[in-house]
Each structure stands twice: as C-alpha cells, then as structure tokens.
Amino acid sequence: MTENTEVIVIGGGYAGVMAANRLTQRADVTVTLVNPRPSFVERIRLHQLAGGSHDAVVAYADVLGRGVRLLVDTVTGIDAAARSVTLASGETAAYDYLVYAVGSGSADPGVPGAAEFSYPVGSLEEAQRLRPVLVAAPATAAVTVVGAGPTGIETAAELAEQGRVVTLVCGGVLGPYLHARGRRSVARRLARLGVTVLEGPGAKVTAVTRHAVRLRDGRELPSEVTVWTAGFGVPDLAVRSGLSTDAVGRLLTDESLTSVDDDRIVAAGDSAAPSGLPLRMSCQAAIPLGARAADTVLSRIAGERPAPLNAVFAGQCISLGRRAGIFQFARRHDVAVWFHIAGRPGAKLKEFICQGIVKHLAGEAREPGSYGLHRVSGGTKRRELLAAAPETNGTDGLRTAKLLR
C-alpha cells in the first residue's frame, strides 16, 4: 500500500494557494492549508477596498482545489525536529513536508506617532479599518499618503479620483522602480488628479500627529487622515521557531527554495529568501515561487533532485484610479526599461492582470500542474549575483553550487 504524505502549507495568499493546489497532483499527498482568514484576499486590490470600489476578497471555493483541506487558524510555532506546528487554537498538527508561505504585511513605521495616528493598508483588516475613516471624513479633509511605491501611488490616485485632497509624501523619488519615462507618466496622471507630490530627502516623514505630518525639512502638513504605505515586513514566525532567516526575517533557502536548516521545509512568496537574494515582494513573484515550492516537495517525495529557481519578471503594473494605469516593462531580471503602457490601456491591462491572477489560481485548482512556470531562462543575472556575493547568500555553498550547475 502506498504511504500517504502529509503536507502543511502555512499561508493562503498567492504563493500558498498556488503551492497547495499544485501539490494535489499526487493522490498519495494530503494537503492542509492553514490560514487565519476564511476567504482569499486579493492583496493587489486593497487600495480599492480602502477607496470603496472593490471588497478585495474571493471565496476559497473559487480558487482552492477540492483536494485541499482549509484550516482557518494561525500557526504560532514550528517544531522542525518533531515535524509539527502549533496552532493558535492550542492544537498541534504533524507534517512530512512544510511549505512556508506566510507572506508579508505592513512594516513597523519606526516613526513617532505613526503607529497611533496613521492607517496602513498592507492587510485586509488594515484596509477595512481605513475605509470607514475615509467615509466619515469630509470631502475637503486633507489626506496624506506616505510612501511612493506601488501601494502609495495606487492609494493616492484612487482617493484623488474620488475628489479627495491628497498629498503623496515620497520620502525620496516617486515610484523608485519605474524608468524615468514611466515616472514622468505617473507624475502627469497624479497632477491631473490634483495630487500634490512631495519628493526628495526633505520629504521624509519624521513624526505623525493626530492632525498633521512633519517632514525632515521642517514642514508640517495638515492631515486629517494619514495613510502609511512605506515599506513591508514579514511575520516573525521563522525567527521565533529558530529557523535561519535574513535580516528582515525571510526564511533562508537554497535555490530550490528548501530551508538551509531542514530539507522538509520549503518556502515561497514574500517570506522566502533564496540564497539570501530574495525576489521583489509581489504577486508576480509569489505565484511562480508557490509553483516552484510545490514542485520541490513533489520532487523530494519522488526521490528526484529538485530544480533550481528560474525567476523571470515582466515589469510592474500600477493602477492610477479606475480610468488610468501604467504597465512598466522590465528586463527579465527585474530592471525597468523605457517602454511602458499608460492611460486607459494601462488601466485595462491592470484589471486584466488582476482578474488573470485569480484565473491562474482557479485553473491550477481545477487541473493541478497546469500552471506553466517560465520556460525562458532568466537565471544568468541571478547566477552573476550569487557568484559576486557568496558571503551574503546565507546558504550551504555546496548545495547552491550544485543547484546552479
């Protein structure tokens, strides 16, 4: 009789759902997905939830395979030696393999007053907390969005399109990922929406009060609602469990996404740091990382050698309200190029991508193994980075070298 293999996936986001669905290719594998919420969160729509144009959730029945058991609970600890996890409910669950896909969330602002008087939007609960605050605020109330990455830009544009008086405080450059041409396009759209954009080192927030934001250059901006989008962090579950992590807390793995501490633990998504060189936090990376993590587990079950990471990026897509957006194209190693699609075509492309992501997950649920990992090698640049900084990769050098051959 074939022995059954128990796999626990921690985290039901983009990476976790993809991994869980893909693992059901084998009938002798039992998959349990542990997630603190009963619904799948479309994290790339949380700015829409804050603005009131989308609820940003999808029923797990629509994206999760029938062969996956959903356990609504929170993992509070991992015992690698015992191959078990402790749950917030007080129960424990045993595993043969563990997929660590806990994702990311809002980072600790580290700025006086920010935790008390600003509203992050990195999680469903945070966006749900912000929504009624915006509804209650007068239309003329000053809104300050701190952070000019994709989340900050999208939130500022979403609210300004509704007639809000919005100031976007960059703390540096607007859209640091963007090519100069793409950045100018975004700046023009924000200007048309009436967003005041503050750039440069002087536009770094040093304090937040109930009704104002203070900047490094001495300016004090009136702010009835302050939205904080500057930076993301990862849960400290791996650190608390005694597993090796990078400085941020992402689980350190080799290039097959296997933990450097334990061959039975595999990581995926924003909480993974393969060779100490993590990919950009994004659903664009999370979904293929989830698929790769599942393939690594399946390879180990079959007694085969796992394939190394093969990451390819297309660019970055940002919505600029409901009627405009931008798709910033990039080289496959994630460096922006001059070409971009903006305006209404950019908005349509962003919406197409948002819908397509859910369809990818649903497709893998219906037909496990159908999601196609990138076939074009994007590994040349990554090999160069690994070779140039071996002392920073935090992995077993022999294991990494073998996987990169």
Side-chain angles (χ1 to χ4, degrees), residues 165-180:
V165 181
V166 179
T167 299
L168 178 61
V169 179
C170 300
V173 66
L174 174 68
Y177 177 91
L178 300 170
H179 186 275

Side-chain angles (χ1 to χ4, degrees), residues 12 21 30-32 41 83 115 124 131 136 138 150 165 173 192 217 246 273 286 297-298 322 324 333 341 356 389 403:
N21 287 342
T30 299
V31 184
T32 300
V41 177
R83 292 183 191 165
L124 177 67
R131 177 61 190 153
V165 181
V173 66
R192 284 195 292 271
D217 61 12
D246 67 3
V297 172
L298 293 172
R322 297 298 88 213
H333 55 274
I341 298 173
L403 285 168

Side-chain angles (χ1 to χ4, degrees), residues 341-358:
I341 298 173
R344 188 168 292 275
K348 290 182 177 179
L349 182 54
K350 173 64 185 292
E351 181 59 27
F352 175 80
I353 289 171
C354 288
Q355 294 179 13
I357 288 168
V358 173

Side-chain angles (χ1 to χ4, degrees), residues 1 62 115 278 284 404:
M1 186 171 69
D62 294 334
Q284 184 178 176
L404 289 174

Side-chain angles (χ1 to χ4, degrees), residues 15-325:
V17 169
M18 174 55 72
N21 287 342
R22 199 170 183 88
L23 284 164
T24 61
Q25 290 177 76
R26 289 184 60 123
D28 58 349
V29 173
T30 299
V31 184
T32 300
L33 178 70
V34 183
N35 192 66
R37 306 178 191 89
S39 299
F40 175 77
V41 177
E42 287 191 84
R43 186 170 174 183
I44 56 177
R45 291 192 187 273
L46 288 179
H47 64 286
Q48 290 183 250
L49 170 57
S53 64
H54 202 283
D55 61 9
V57 294
V58 175
Y60 270 118
D62 294 334
V63 295
L64 203 59
R66 293 182 179 179
V68 178
R69 175 195 175 210
L70 174 64
L71 177 59
V72 181
D73 209 329
T74 300
V75 174
T76 58
I78 301 169
D79 188 336
R83 292 183 191 165
S84 67
V85 298
T86 303
L87 304 172
S89 62
E91 300 294 321
T92 60
Y95 65 82
D96 295 303
Y97 289 92
L98 182 73
V99 177
Y100 187 85
V102 297
S104 62
S106 301
D108 181 358
V111 171
E116 295 83 0
F117 301 117
S118 69
Y119 296 85
V121 288
S123 71
L124 177 67
E125 292 76 15
E126 289 170 344
Q128 288 174 333
R129 175 172 166 253
L130 171 59
R131 177 61 190 153
V133 172
L134 288 166
V135 170
T140 56
V143 177
T144 303
V145 178
V146 181
T151 304
I153 292 171
E154 290 187 322
T155 303
E158 193 80 19
L159 299 180
E161 192 177 65
Q162 298 174 4
R164 293 286 179 179
V165 181
V166 179
T167 299
L168 178 61
V169 179
C170 300
V173 66
L174 174 68
Y177 177 91
L178 300 170
H179 186 275
R181 291 191 179 187
R183 187 172 298 116
R184 287 193 293 270
S185 177
V186 170
R188 287 193 295 270
R189 171 61 179 170
L190 291 175
R192 284 195 292 271
L193 290 172
V195 177
T196 299
V197 177
L198 303 180
E199 295 185 87
K204 186 174 180 63
V205 176
T206 57
V208 180
T209 67
R210 189 176 300 277
H211 299 296
V213 171
R214 295 177 189 146
L215 305 184
R216 176 181 287 173
D217 61 12
R219 284 177 289 178
E220 183 164 301
L221 310 176
S223 183
E224 291 302 310
V225 182
T226 301
V227 184
W228 196 276
T229 72
F232 290 100
V234 299
D236 65 351
L237 176 60
V239 175
R240 288 188 285 107
S241 301
L243 298 169
S244 296
T245 67
D246 67 3
V248 175
R250 290 171 286 219
L251 187 69
L252 280 175
T253 76
D254 65 13
E255 288 294 288
S256 74
L257 301 180
T258 303
S259 166
V260 299
D261 301 313
D262 192 326
D263 286 348
R264 296 297 184 114
I265 299 176
V266 179
D270 291 352
S271 55
S275 302
L277 295 171
L279 305 181
R280 172 163 55 89
M281 290 185 180
S282 62
C283 67
Q284 184 178 176
I287 289 179
L289 284 175
R292 176 58 66 204
D295 288 353
T296 290
V297 172
L298 293 172
S299 293
R300 293 195 183 282
I301 293 172
E304 300 169 353
R305 180 182 177 184
L309 179 64
N310 183 24
V312 178
F313 280 87
Q316 189 176 81
C317 199
I318 302 174
S319 65
L320 298 168
R322 297 298 88 213
R323 296 185 292 276

